């Protein structure tokens, strides 16, 4: 069989580990051959391909980013997008596609399979960890480790100056990175998109922390919103082809408000794409490799329209459509657990 591989959406550590595992097992165990499509769905749409054999995947296990490139191209919004993809797959004699992506990339794979008969298998990735069908996505653990290390460092400088330090982390609809890194890093306030925050309460927590002679660390997810306000954005007009606004801005706004209301000096650190770059953690390499091995097995079994997912210790197959139907958000009870450390 000839199999196409693509990586779409925001990149994340572990993408290359999946590609390596798919190709190694596919060539060694099944004698398949592979081509890489460049830059997410843009590749199949424009027919841009690169060779993808064992030599191409040598040494890439610890490398961040993706050797195939990525983009947020939505082919379903392009005139004749489906027809062009089908023609390009046929031109390159591709029998099946492995799409590695988050809700948007895999949402396209689900529709191409269910509505247009394109033979796709999905692999879930996102640092946000917000795909409902899988316990974890790879990339998340690395992002949490990076954010935790940053929080550890910010504690010492905050205490030297007795300032508030606001740390803005990624998390569009879900506060998983904020919650995990905030707990691991001993933050004094954690704000997530799932729970609109009360600015008066945040200022009370900050003030009580100073009273105990400590400098507070506030971790805020970029998608968190104040109770009686809207999403704070630096650039409200920028949108990608899936219609998502470009987030970031709440951290700076929060520091200004805290300083104005409490009279305490406040600074902001926006971690941004540092959370997505560089080498994957051991856990992410392990998970990404297992996802890759199971994805190629699913292709070989003809299990098209499915996505591989982690459930407990097992990798299982779930229908792509079901996997992309809902976002996995932080449950209220889990957030409540962390509140004992606030203030
Ligand atoms: O979807 C993953 C993610 O890192 C989000 O946390 C973030 O909001 C978004 O991507 C940023 O996207 P971009 O790199 O396209 O600005």
């Amino acid at each position: 069989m000839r199999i196409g591989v693509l990586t779409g959406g925001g990149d994340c550590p572990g993408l290359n580990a999946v590609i390596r595992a798919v190709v190694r097992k596919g060539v060694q165990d099944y004698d398949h051959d592979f081509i890489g499509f460049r830059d997410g769905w843009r590749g199949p749409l424009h027919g841009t391909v690169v060779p993808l054999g064992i030599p191409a995947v040598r040494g890439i296990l610890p490398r961040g980013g993706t050797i195939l490139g990525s983009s947020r191209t939505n082919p379903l919004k392009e005139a004749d997008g489906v027809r062009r993809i089908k023609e390009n797959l046929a031109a390159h004699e591709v029998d099946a596609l492995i799409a590695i992506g988050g809700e948007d990339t895999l949402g396209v794979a689900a529709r191409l399979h269910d509505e247009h008969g394109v033979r796709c298998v999905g692999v879930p990735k996102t640092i946000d960890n917000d795909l409902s069908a899988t316990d974890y996505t790879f990339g998340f653990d690395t992002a949490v480790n990076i954010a935790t290390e940053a929080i550890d460092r910010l504690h010492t400088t905050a205490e030297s100056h007795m300032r508030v330090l606001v740390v803005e982390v990624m998390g569009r609809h879900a506060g998983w990175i904020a919650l995990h890194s905030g707990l691991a890093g001993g933050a004094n306030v954690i704000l997530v998109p799932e729970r609109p925050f009360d600015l008066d309460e945040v200022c009370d927590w900050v003030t009580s922390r100073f009273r105990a002679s400590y400098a507070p660390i506030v971790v805020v997810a970029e998608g968190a919103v104040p109770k009686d306000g809207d999403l704070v954005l630096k650039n409200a007009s920028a949108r990608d082809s899936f219609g998502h606004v470009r987030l970031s801005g709440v951290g700076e706004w929060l520091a200004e408000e805290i300083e104005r209301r409490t009279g305490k000096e406040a600074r902001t650190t926006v971690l941004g794409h540092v959370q997505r770059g560089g080498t994957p953690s051991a856990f992410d390499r392990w998970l990404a490799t297992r996802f890759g091995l199971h994805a190629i097995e699913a292709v070989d079994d003809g299990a098209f329209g499915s996505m591989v997912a982690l459930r407990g210790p097992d990798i299982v197959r779930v229908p792509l459509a079901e996997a992309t139907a809902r976002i996995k958000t932080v449950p209220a009870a889990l957030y409540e657990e962390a509140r004992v450390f606030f203030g």
Side-chain angles (χ1 to χ4, degrees):
M1 228 192 269
R2 176 159 243 234
I3 298 157
V5 182
L6 67 86
T7 52
D11 72 337
C12 86
L15 288 167
N16 287 326
V18 180
I19 298 168
R20 168 181 173 266
V22 161
V23 172
R24 283 285 293 274
K25 188 172 169 75
V27 171
Q28 287 171 209
D29 287 8
Y30 303 125
D31 212 18
H32 293 320
D33 80 286
F34 292 88
I35 58 170
F37 282 101
R38 289 285 315 173
D39 306 332
W41 287 112
R42 197 187 290 149
L45 194 62
H46 296 289
T48 346
V49 296
V50 287
L52 191 62
I54 300 267
V57 301
R58 234 171 242 138
I60 66 170
L61 172 64
R63 244 168 78 187
T66 159
I67 60 166
L68 296 177
S70 192
S71 75
R72 295 191 187 274
T73 307
N74 182 353
L76 303 179
K77 278 182 70 182
E78 301 285 325
D80 264 354
V82 175
R83 182 187 56 78
R84 285 161 66 194
I85 286 180
K86 285 180 128 179
E87 278 177 11
N88 284 325
L89 293 181
H92 291 282
E93 297 174 346
V94 171
D95 302 299
L97 259 183
I98 294 183
I100 311 166
E103 43 150 345
D104 296 326
T105 304
L106 297 183
V108 170
R111 286 191 55 196
L112 285 177
H113 173 267
D114 295 355
E115 297 168 22
H116 305 284
V118 178
R119 308 208 298 176
C120 295
V121 164
V123 176
K125 69 87 223 179
T126 163
I127 64 162
D128 290 357
N129 196 38
D130 59 358
L131 280 172
S132 59
T134 181
D135 289 355
Y136 287 100
T137 50
F138 64 87
F140 172 64
D141 183 65
T142 308
V144 167
N145 284 329
I146 292 167
T148 303
E149 194 200 328
I151 295 167
D152 286 348
R153 289 174 184 278
L154 292 170
H155 269 296
T156 63
T157 171
E159 272 160 30
S160 305
H161 295 269
M162 287 312 261
R163 289 173 173 151
V164 185
L165 267 170
V166 177
V167 189
E168 184 187 290
V169 297
M170 281 188 168
R172 187 182 283 281
H173 308 290
W176 293 107
I177 298 177
L179 184 70
H180 282 229
S181 64
L183 262 187
N188 310 106
V189 181
I190 301 172
L191 305 174
V192 296
E194 294 84 343
R195 166 81 60 114
F197 61 87
D198 179 343
L199 201 47
D200 291 331
E201 192 176 33
V202 171
C203 291
D204 287 346
W205 285 326
V206 162
T207 309
S208 101
R209 198 66 192 158
F210 276 117
R211 250 189 259 118
S213 297
Y214 285 105
I217 302 282
V218 177
V219 175
V220 59
E222 59 184 0
V225 278
K227 237 178 195 160
D228 18 67
D230 295 323
L231 200 60
V232 184
L233 297 170
K234 253 195 329 218
N235 184 349
S237 54
R239 277 173 199 272
D240 66 25
S241 73
F242 287 91
H244 302 303
V245 284
R246 189 177 300 163
L247 296 180
S248 188
V250 67
E252 245 172 75
W253 175 83
L254 202 55
E256 276 166 27
E257 285 297 318
I258 291 173
E259 191 165 299
R260 196 170 61 78
R261 288 169 181 237
T262 65
K264 298 288 187 186
E265 212 185 335
R267 296 280 198 278
T268 309
T269 299
V270 179
L271 292 183
H273 293 83
V274 167
Q275 294 158 97
R276 281 198 348 215
T279 190
S281 67
F283 177 83
D284 283 337
R285 294 181 200 188
W286 172 87
L287 181 59
T289 297
R290 289 192 70 206
F291 275 164
L293 298 176
H294 284 261
I296 190 64
E297 216 170 272
V299 169
D300 203 68
D301 288 348
F304 300 115
S306 69
M307 182 191 89
V308 292
L310 180 72
R311 296 269 171 86
D314 301 321
I315 307 286
V316 299
R317 293 173 194 166
V318 292
L320 262 173
E322 189 187 298
T324 51
R326 252 176 334 108
I327 276 190
K328 180 176 68 184
T329 51
V330 173
L334 203 56
Y335 183 75
E336 285 304 315
E337 273 181 17
R339 281 173 74 98
V340 67
F341 299 109
F342 295 180

